[in-house]
Amino acid sequence: MHHDSPLVLYFIVNPRAGQQQIDYALAITNFFEQTPHRIHIHILTSHCSIDTIKADIAKHRPNRVIAVGGDGTVKLAAECIIGSDIALAIIPAGSANGMAREINLKNNVKSALSLVINGKPKAIHALRINHEISLHLADIGMNAKIVKKFQSLQERGMIGYAKATWRALKRHKKMHVALHINGKTILKKAEMVILANGTTYGTGVKINNIGSLFDNQFEVIIVKWFSFIELIKMCFNFHIRFNPFKTEIIQTNQVTIDTKENTFFQIDGEYLGKVRHIEAKLIPHALYLIT
């Protein structure tokens, strides 16, 4: 199906995402050259503020905003349009493209661009976690520590992930967590706790086999123990089932978590520092995603 009326398309391009072998701005320009659609390309800089981008989007009044990057870029784009009827589309270009995997997007620029025009918007929910938006997967503990190490490394891709994992394992201790959920308080020792809106990490590992972006709940996954082998599986998708021993999954629409220790915290692949208190709440029908 092709749109008869021209669309206004606003692209947010992260030039530092992934291992850029493609000039995305050029690819986008070339793709739309012969079409009636109007495009605007916003290249992210290290000091761009979300308010500037929001104001720019308001000025161009697009039908669709397209995140060109990894999960962090998708999160940023979502923050700009949440609660509006502008639809979000994704061109996967990052080291971790969990959100793109979530909707089975191929890593092919041309097919992703044609989906931008021809795809159908579908309402998804999101999470608000400590005033931040999470579309995909947030966690405290081991994986957040890996994300922190990964962000400080020069290497991208799998080599970087392997190094980050190895470094994160050193001197790693379990956390003591208190979860206030569905009217109960649960006390646990855990390696990590995941707040899962989506199902699959950017590396391709399915952590949440009961979740969906389109239902009205999210999953709290308590990983109580896993071995080094499981961790490696989590970082490299060997198409083997990730099976952390002793995992508990609780479905809910809100949770409060307190930790005894200051704990590593990440949302959608972005390390956000250490926390001791987390409040997460479902935002139903947060935005429209092109799938």
Side-chain angles (χ1 to χ4, degrees):
M1 140 185 148
H2 280 277
H3 274 270
D4 308 325
S5 52
L7 293 166
V8 180
L9 305 170
Y10 190 99
F11 290 84
I12 297 176
V13 179
N14 180 358
R16 292 182 311 285
Q19 299 148 306
Q20 302 268 333
Q21 282 110 9
I22 300 170
D23 181 338
Y24 284 95
L26 186 66
I28 292 161
T29 309
N30 290 346
F31 184 90
F32 288 102
E33 217 164 30
Q34 304 299 317
T35 74
H37 307 296
R38 290 218 329 267
I39 64 164
H40 176 78
I41 297 173
H42 183 103
I43 308 278
L44 291 177
T45 58
S46 48
H47 47 257
C48 66
S49 85
I50 191 161
D51 294 334
T52 317
I53 304 171
K54 270 187 180 168
D56 203 36
I57 289 172
K59 194 177 82 188
H60 286 89
R61 300 179 52 187
N63 308 86
R64 297 181 173 183
V65 164
I66 302 94
V68 185
D71 289 326
T73 313
V74 174
K75 176 183 186 303
L76 174 76
E79 282 167 1
C80 294
I81 59 172
I82 198 155
S84 77
D85 53 6
I86 301 170
L88 173 69
I90 302 170
I91 309 289
S95 292
N97 302 300
M99 232 6 223
R101 282 178 190 272
E102 209 65 60
I103 53 173
N104 295 321
L105 252 189
K106 302 287 170 281
N107 262 3
N108 173 314
V109 181
K110 282 208 168 81
S111 69
L113 284 169
S114 57
L115 189 71
V116 164
I117 313 168
N118 302 316
K120 293 265 202 304
K122 206 171 162 186
I124 63 165
H125 57 63
L127 299 184
R128 189 176 298 286
I129 308 174
N130 291 8
H131 314 299
E132 290 273 345
I133 297 295
S134 170
L135 285 192
H136 191 229
L137 292 166
D139 51 55
I140 53 170
M142 189 65 200
N143 184 63
K145 192 174 176 184
I146 294 172
V147 168
K148 175 183 195 269
K149 303 282 181 214
F150 182 64
Q151 277 180 5
S152 65
L153 288 169
Q154 294 309 302
E155 289 99 338
R156 281 281 164 257
M158 285 307 175
I159 301 292
Y161 249 95
K163 282 195 172 171
T165 305
W166 190 245
R167 287 184 189 183
L169 273 169
K170 285 190 224 159
R171 295 193 301 282
H172 176 67
K173 292 187 195 62
K174 281 194 183 187
M175 334 174 269
H176 295 78
V177 291
L179 298 105
H180 313 286
I181 188 166
N182 300 337
K184 294 200 290 278
T185 294
I186 301 168
L187 301 171
K188 293 277 178 213
K189 278 178 80 172
E191 297 278 3
M192 59 194 258
V193 176
I194 304 154
L195 302 173
N197 203 29
T199 65
T200 309
Y201 274 113
T203 48
V205 163
K206 198 166 181 118
I207 187 85
N208 175 14
N209 21 20
I210 61 172
S212 157
L213 291 171
F214 308 108
D215 59 9
N216 256 341
Q217 56 194 1
F218 64 95
E219 286 71 40
V220 178
I221 303 168
I222 306 160
V223 178
K224 288 177 273 192
W225 194 77
F226 46 41
S227 66
F228 180 62
I229 298 293
E230 292 302 324
L231 209 57
I232 292 298
K233 278 193 216 169
M234 191 175 121
C235 291
F236 307 97
N237 177 16
F238 291 135
H239 300 286
I240 317 170
R241 272 194 53 132
F242 174 61
N243 181 19
F245 313 101
K246 311 193 177 60
T247 305
E248 233 175 278
I249 300 187
I250 305 165
Q251 290 186 305
T252 186
N253 59 12
Q254 62 184 72
V255 64
T256 305
I257 304 172
D258 290 296
T259 61
K260 203 162 116 183
E261 309 79 5
N262 278 332
T263 307
F264 298 95
F265 173 46
Q266 71 88 23
I267 292 182
D268 294 2
E270 202 180 327
Y271 178 68
L272 292 174
K274 287 187 167 182
V275 291
R276 290 185 70 166
H277 179 78
I278 281 182
E279 286 176 38
K281 199 173 186 302
L282 188 92
I283 313 169
H285 292 293
L287 53 91
Y288 293 96
L289 184 64
I290 302 286
T291 60

